[in-house]
Amino acid sequence: MKSRILIVDDEPDIALILKLHLEDQGYETVRARDGLEALDLLEGERFDLMLLDIKMPRMGGIQVLQKVSELRPELPVIMMTAHGSETIAVDAMKKGAVDYIAKPFSVDELLKKVERSLQFSRAHRENMRLQREIEDERNKMEAILQGMADLLVAVDSSGAIISLNRRAEEVLHVSREKALGKKINEVLKADLALEQLPCMVTLRTGAPCLDTEYAIISRRRKIPVLASATPLITTSGMLLGSVEIIRDISALKALEQEREDFVSMLTHDLKTPITAVVGSIDLVRDGHLGQINGEQRAYLDSAVESCKEMVDMINTLLDVHKFEAGLMKMLQHEEFPATLLQRTVSTYRTVADRDDIRLSLVIDETLPLVPLDRNMFGRLMGNLLSNALKFTPAGGEIAITADCPRTVASFRTAIPEALYPPDSLSDDRQYLHIAVRDTGVGIPADALSLIFDRFVQARNRRAGKTKGTGLGLAYCRKVMDVHGGFIWAESVEERGCTFHVLFPMPGDDLQAGE
């Protein structure tokens, strides 16, 4: 787009000369015969530069310049004056003109000053645009920070507060005006030493300080918080300060307490009445309250079995809770896995026969001793077998195999990355491998990495022979974690499923939990 120049001069000859030379250089020109006409044109048209004569009828150039400075301050103005009036022109520059040229003028000098003024104008407009963008971004960021539910406190390199958001003002009971410039420990009272506050740790180390738990003391009340801080660094790498984001975790702590109370309730309020129910049924079943027939005994046996399943569910939930709280104690000894597997399979063989499911066990006779917690291992395999029985129809098959493969390379590509990092398996380590394969309904591919989470069940496995809680596989994952092992599943929907477990064999690099 051509630059448009407004020529304001009452002398037609001068105006024509300017027009010809400027248009010859590719500019577009418009002429105003005096100041009033120039102001009228400015109201309706866009111009990139004004060449303004100082002496004109009706309204002089200085008056026009003053009006232009008010109406169009971004428009650059070059004053034109006769020789001997340079003092007036200099005064005009003090009032906003970017340059001046004396008549008669040199064409080369004129064109240079015009181009220089246009470049100045373009640079000025670009700077104004960038400043507006920066201001818009600053306003957006300020709105975001002020609207945050978390507290934000920024400090300079000395630990003095340079910014805080509205939420911080509310929780700390201090206005921004009073807080600015004060040391962080004067405004934020905590049960943590000053040098341990995340923002101060970041100032000391120059690195982010993440997920620090402490309590803010606000009007004699302790507010548990989780805070992280990051450094404020210039483009040249200089540390200017740090900003700390503080999250109120009171609700989370209350939820944790509710969970603890719920677990306590499960331990006492549920298991105790179930024990009483089983005791009462045993009295009837043993004939202490009169003779019972075979059909009655079958119903009583079913009731006892249901109570046992309920107790197992409660115990599983309690154990998962203990694992997550770090309270589960592992009694690890070297065991013969073949003996433990045979014992587990014999326990479930009756159920498999009743449901017309073939149950087989194939064990490598050379299996060595493996460091295991016997009880955890038994419940792990029991959960996997029980799971297979639930989802395998009559006439199906469940096969358990156990061996010590020479290499784990084939497993590395089979284990979902969402469960374990690709480099978790060690090529320098030997593992006990146990697989439980069934011919049941299988598991959808999108659920293979989710089924080991608490209370998660694949959509096609929620309507098995018996409904589960989604805790059994979560327990299995916890057991493998404390043994430093691995567990995963491979499946094709409607074509069965295979659960794999790998227990690390004794070595120099025993993993966590051994």
Side-chain angles (χ1 to χ4, degrees):
M1 183 184 294
K2 291 182 179 181
S3 295
R4 302 188 77 231
I5 300 175
L6 177 59
I7 301 169
V8 187
D9 199 316
D10 60 324
E11 297 182 35
D13 294 340
I14 298 294
L16 179 60
I17 292 171
L18 289 170
K19 174 182 175 66
L20 293 175
H21 285 298
L22 291 172
E23 292 185 351
D24 187 53
Q25 293 298 313
Y27 300 118
E28 181 181 338
T29 64
V30 174
R31 182 200 171 195
R33 293 171 178 79
D34 57 38
L36 292 178
E37 186 179 346
L39 293 176
D40 289 340
L41 287 169
L42 285 177
E43 287 183 1
E45 298 186 44
R46 177 193 66 83
F47 293 100
D48 300 295
L49 176 68
M50 175 187 283
L51 293 175
L52 178 61
D53 191 19
I54 287 181
K55 291 186 178 182
M56 293 181 297
R58 296 207 295 171
M59 180 180 286
I62 296 298
Q63 291 176 286
V64 175
L65 177 63
Q66 290 173 337
K67 290 287 186 180
V68 170
S69 297
E70 296 172 4
L71 300 175
R72 298 281 300 277
E74 77 284 356
L75 180 66
V77 178
I78 297 177
M79 304 301 296
M80 297 183 294
T81 182
H83 275 302
S85 302
E86 286 85 350
T87 303
I88 299 175
V90 170
D91 182 57
M93 291 182 65
K94 293 178 181 179
K95 294 179 179 178
V98 296
D99 208 340
Y100 75 93
I101 186 168
K103 302 175 184 177
F105 47 78
S106 159
V107 173
D108 288 341
E109 181 185 8
L110 168 71
L111 295 177
K112 285 179 182 179
K113 290 193 175 187
V114 166
E115 181 57 29
R116 187 165 60 240
S117 296
L118 287 171
Q119 288 178 355
F120 172 81
S121 176
R122 286 191 288 267
H124 178 71
R125 287 199 301 271
E126 180 65 13
N127 286 339
M128 293 296 292
R129 184 185 68 80
L130 291 175
Q131 286 179 14
R132 285 194 298 271
E133 287 185 2
I134 291 172
E135 189 62 28
D136 289 344
E137 289 300 319
R138 183 183 292 114
N139 291 337
K140 278 194 242 176
M141 184 60 65
E142 183 68 16
I144 291 170
L145 296 179
Q146 293 302 324
M148 284 174 58
D150 297 334
L151 288 70
L152 178 143
V153 181
V155 297
D156 62 18
S157 57
S158 69
I161 294 175
I162 56 176
S163 181
L164 72 167
N165 68 349
R166 186 178 296 110
R167 181 60 178 155
E169 291 181 88
E170 293 171 357
V171 174
L172 302 178
H173 302 288
V174 63
S175 66
R176 180 185 303 189
E177 291 74 19
K178 290 183 179 179
L180 295 182
K182 290 186 177 180
K183 296 295 184 182
I184 182 69
N185 58 315
E186 296 179 51
V187 174
L188 192 155
K189 307 295 183 182
D191 64 351
L192 201 64
L194 172 62
E195 63 273 9
Q196 293 178 319
L197 288 175
C199 61
M200 300 305 291
V201 173
T202 294
L203 289 181
R204 189 169 62 253
T205 63
C209 177
L210 306 177
D211 298 335
T212 299
E213 253 191 78
Y214 63 92
I216 291 176
I217 302 169
S218 177
R219 294 190 174 177
R220 299 183 181 179
R221 183 171 71 97
K222 280 192 172 184
I223 304 173
V225 298
L226 184 68
S228 297
T230 54
L232 296 172
I233 300 175
T234 66
T235 53
S236 62
M238 183 191 311
L239 181 66
L240 293 179
S242 68
V243 59
E244 183 172 336
I245 304 295
I246 306 169
R247 174 161 297 175
D248 183 345
I249 56 173
S250 301
L252 182 61
K253 289 294 184 182
L255 188 61
E256 287 179 357
Q257 186 58 50
E258 287 182 12
R259 185 177 70 168
E260 294 290 337
D261 296 341
F262 175 69
V263 171
S264 298
M265 181 269 290
L266 283 178
T267 305
H268 183 269
D269 295 349
L270 287 183
K271 290 180 73 175
T272 298
I274 291 174
T275 303
V277 170
V278 172
S280 299
I281 293 174
D282 284 339
L283 285 173
V284 177
R285 189 170 56 173
D286 294 343
H288 294 293
L289 301 179
Q291 293 295 322
I292 60 172
N293 58 38
E295 186 178 2
Q296 290 171 330
R297 182 176 296 279
Y299 278 107
L300 291 172
D301 289 343
S302 176
V304 171
E305 185 64 27
S306 295
C307 288
K308 180 179 179 299
E309 288 181 6
M310 178 66 75
V311 172
D312 287 342
M313 289 180 189
I314 294 171
N315 286 336
T316 299
L317 178 57
L318 289 172
D319 287 344
V320 169
H321 172 72
K322 286 180 182 178
F323 275 122
E324 293 177 345
L327 300 175
M328 180 63 78
K329 294 181 180 179
M330 185 168 65
L331 302 176
Q332 196 173 37
H333 303 285
E334 290 195 339
E335 304 280 357
F336 285 107
T339 303
L340 300 180
L341 286 170
Q342 288 166 352
R343 185 180 302 161
T344 302
V345 169
S346 65
T347 303
Y348 285 87
R349 191 170 295 281
T350 302
V351 179
D353 292 342
R354 183 190 67 195
D355 292 347
D356 190 24
I357 296 173
R358 295 185 300 278
L359 179 59
S360 63
L361 174 64
V362 178
I363 303 175
D364 185 342
E365 296 179 355
T366 63
L367 286 183
L369 289 164
V370 180
L372 299 168
D373 181 301
R374 179 182 299 184
N375 291 332
M376 289 185 187
F377 180 85
R379 287 186 61 188
L380 164 76
M381 297 310 304
N383 281 347
L384 294 180
L385 269 175
S386 175
N387 199 61
L389 287 165
K390 273 183 200 174
F391 303 106
T392 301
E397 179 184 355
I398 299 173
I400 300 100
T401 60
D403 64 342
C404 289
R406 292 184 177 181
T407 176
V408 294
S410 61
F411 298 136
R412 188 171 285 109
T413 56
I415 299 176
E417 290 187 14
L419 291 178
Y420 303 97
D423 58 350
S424 297
L425 280 176
S426 171
D427 292 321
D428 301 325
R429 185 121 195 213
Q430 192 174 17
Y431 294 87
L432 166 67
H433 171 233
I434 301 173
V436 179
R437 179 180 60 83
D438 65 58
T439 57
V441 298
I443 301 173
D446 60 359
L448 289 175
S449 59
L450 303 175
I451 53 176
F452 298 100
D453 294 340
R454 287 190 303 163
F455 307 114
V456 172
Q457 287 184 294
R459 61 179 182 274
N460 66 339
R461 296 168 78 87
R462 295 174 189 153
K465 301 172 192 175
T466 58
K467 292 185 178 180
T469 60
L471 286 170
L473 292 179
Y475 174 83
C476 293
R477 173 64 191 262
K478 300 298 183 185
V479 169
M480 296 312 299
D481 286 347
V482 296
H483 280 87
F486 303 84
I487 183 169
W488 74 97
E490 296 176 354
S491 178
V492 176
E493 239 180 312
E494 303 302 332
R495 293 177 58 185
C497 174
T498 302
F499 279 88
H500 298 268
V501 293
L502 289 177
F503 284 93
M505 303 290 284
D508 294 334
D509 58 339
L510 292 180
Q511 300 185 27
E514 296 186 15

